[in-house]
């Protein structure tokens, strides 16, 4: 069993809400964290997503035939990565012993809509790559920050799920 | 050059906003769509993300030492996938010629926090897999829906970026 600080604190675990469950087996706390969301279409482009009582509105801009009530799915993907890099960035800075007063990030990617649109193409459907510029507010030197960056990238769950293959199993209900 | 319906409509392109750009080269409209977000840390776990004027708030629950002001990064990742499946689901249903009145989705995944927490482990940082249950409101038969599902999965940009490797290039600013 892998040790987990989340697995060791009953009080903390209770606060994680219904979508975040620590599995227990044989009286030992297992480290798996479960996350889940529910979603429904409000119209063909607008999706309402619910996670632990938080509501997220996803839509497409009018130029992509949407109703423009929220950021779109590929912008949400960038947002997920930004949020993850912030959290892990602060954890790693603390471990490395330097003061991080804040982070600013810019993320972007290009995608070819051909596959999305149903064209016969060898192009992939999603971003070809994702570029991130990260500006930490800190006095740490460049050498320290390079090490910090490498560590963040490898430990961020979202960057792992994007950079490396993650099976998606879709079933009809 | 790959044909793109978005590249052929000047009016539509104008409406895509500043983060969505059609590249032009040699007088021909290239099909690349660019998406981007800006983000900053409000505190070590809370990230504010801005995309075309839409604001997304990402945070960790108190049980993960956060301030619980929004869904967390790995929930945002599931939200991005849900939103993408909705959009592509409706496009493909229309192409296949069946009526889709709506979609409900449930998405979940398990991750081991060991790597995230800095433990020495062979476990990956992110979700091991993502499970999606999709409930289309339609009269289409099961055979049709199975084909629909396979097509959606292959054409959804977010599922492509999660299921297949996507390079992430992070630079210090």
């Amino acid at each position: 069993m892998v040790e987990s600080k989340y697995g060791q604190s009953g009080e903390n675990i209770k606060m994680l809400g219904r979508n975040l469950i620590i599995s227990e087996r044989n009286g030992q706390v297992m480290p798996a964290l479960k996350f889940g969301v529910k979603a429904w279409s409000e119209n063909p482009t607008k999706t309402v997503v619910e996670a632990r009582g938080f509501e997220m509105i996803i839509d497409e801009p009018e130029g992509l035939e949407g109703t423009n009530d929220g950021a779109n799915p590929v912008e949400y993907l960038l947002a997920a990565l930004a949020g993850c890099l912030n959290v892990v960035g602060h954890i790693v800075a603390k471990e490395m012993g330097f003061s991080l007063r804040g982070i600013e990030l810019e993320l972007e990617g290009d995608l070819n809509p051909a596959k999305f649109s149903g064209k016969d193409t060898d192009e992939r459907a999603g971003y070809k790559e994702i570029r991130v510029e990260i500006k930490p507010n800190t006095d740490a030197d460049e050498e320290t920050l390079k090490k910090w960056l490498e560590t963040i990238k490898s430990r961020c769950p979202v960057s792992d799920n994007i950079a490396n293959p993650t099976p998606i199993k879709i079933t009809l209900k």
Side-chain angles (χ1 to χ4, degrees), chain A residues 71-92:
Chain A
N72 84 351
V74 292
E75 289 164 335
Y76 264 80
L77 185 70
L78 298 180
L81 180 56
C84 195
L85 293 170
N86 178 37
V87 174
V88 182
H90 278 86
I91 290 173
V92 174

Side-chain angles (χ1 to χ4, degrees), chain A residues 112-125:
Chain A
N112 188 320
K115 188 154 188 178
F116 169 75
S117 314
K119 304 285 187 294
D120 185 20
T121 175
D122 292 331
E123 295 267 350
R124 68 182 299 175

Side-chain angles (χ1 to χ4, degrees), chain A residues 108-172:
Chain A
E108 64 169 30
D110 306 301
L111 63 84
N112 188 320
K115 188 154 188 178
F116 169 75
S117 314
K119 304 285 187 294
D120 185 20
T121 175
D122 292 331
E123 295 267 350
R124 68 182 299 175
Y127 290 126
K128 299 167 202 294
E129 65 171 22
I130 293 174
R131 296 175 294 279
V132 182
E133 280 190 350
I134 186 165
K135 190 179 176 183
N137 183 347
T138 178
D139 301 320
D141 60 40
E142 204 177 319
E143 196 60 35
T144 303
L145 290 174
K146 278 184 182 170
K147 191 181 167 194
W148 172 70
L149 212 56
E150 277 313 301
T151 310
I152 293 173
K153 195 175 167 181
S154 73
R155 280 171 50 181
C156 166
V158 176
S159 77
D160 172 34
N161 280 131
I162 294 173
N164 304 303
T166 304
I168 299 174
K169 294 184 180 167
I170 309 184
T171 51
L172 279 170

Side-chain angles (χ1 to χ4, degrees), chain A residues 24-42:
Chain A
E24 291 190 25
R25 193 180 296 170
N26 301 326
Q28 288 186 313
V29 179
M30 296 290 286
L33 295 179
K34 187 185 290 293
F35 296 89
V37 304
K38 291 188 180 196
W40 56 94
S41 56
E42 199 163 294

